[in-house]
Amino acid sequence: MLQISNNVTLADWEIHIEQVRAQGPGGQNVNKVASAVHLRFDIHRSTLPPFYKERLLALSDQRITQDGVIIIKAQKHRTLELNKEDALARLRALIKSATAVQKTRRPTRPSRSAKRKRTDKKTQRGKTKALRGRVKV
């Protein structure tokens, strides 16, 4: 069972974990042992509240397929157990990030003194550049 928040949990049957061989260097261990993990989570068939499902499906994340399945590959660690924990933690983080409400942006304007300082700096810079001309003899 995966605890997302105080009142939202995912049952074990909703998360499908498959063992695969890890990629990359590592010698004999990589070639013999399937220590990497593919985690699959179907958003449509899950018991998540509708709000969570809508927000997850609206995300533009490359880990979410067009069918609404989240696929996470974990191969950072050498052991299967640590990779499982890592994949579950990344799934929890993805679901939590989808439900975080963005703060609405209110457009602001520069103050009068900020505008005056900016124009003063521009005129000062123009004077400095004007002094770089040829010297008349």
Side-chain angles (χ1 to χ4, degrees):
M1 181 173 279
L2 182 66
Q3 185 83 22
I4 304 297
S5 66
N6 291 336
N7 52 2
V8 177
T9 57
L10 295 176
D12 291 335
W13 63 266
E14 299 181 72
I15 302 168
H16 178 71
I17 295 178
E18 181 182 340
Q19 298 176 11
V20 294
R21 287 190 179 155
Q23 296 175 332
Q28 292 181 10
N29 196 45
V30 167
N31 299 330
K32 294 193 309 187
V33 181
S35 61
V37 168
H38 270 186
L39 180 142
R40 292 179 183 275
F41 176 71
D42 192 353
I43 299 170
H44 295 294
R45 293 190 322 122
S46 70
T47 58
L48 284 174
F51 171 73
Y52 281 73
K53 289 182 182 182
E54 291 170 8
R55 296 295 291 266
L56 277 172
L57 292 170
L59 280 179
S60 60
D61 196 316
Q62 64 184 16
R63 297 174 288 186
I64 302 174
T65 63
Q66 290 180 346
D67 301 331
V69 178
I70 298 174
I71 301 173
I72 296 175
K73 183 173 185 181
Q75 61 180 9
K76 193 185 310 181
H77 304 284
R78 290 181 63 136
T79 62
L80 179 68
E81 292 78 23
L82 287 176
N83 281 329
K84 279 184 183 179
E85 290 175 16
D86 182 38
L88 290 172
R90 284 163 48 189
L91 176 65
R92 182 185 301 116
L94 178 66
I95 294 173
K96 280 188 175 184
S97 71
T99 59
V101 180
Q102 292 288 328
K103 194 175 174 183
T104 56
R105 184 190 177 278
R106 290 187 314 227
T108 57
R109 290 186 175 180
S111 64
R112 186 179 297 160
S113 65
K115 287 180 184 176
R116 186 171 50 250
K117 284 179 187 176
R118 185 175 60 87
T119 54
D120 289 346
K121 283 182 182 178
K122 285 177 114 177
T123 55
Q124 182 62 40
R125 187 76 178 148
K127 289 177 183 174
T128 304
K129 287 186 173 188
L131 292 174
R132 292 184 189 160
R134 276 193 186 192
V135 178
K136 295 180 183 176
V137 181

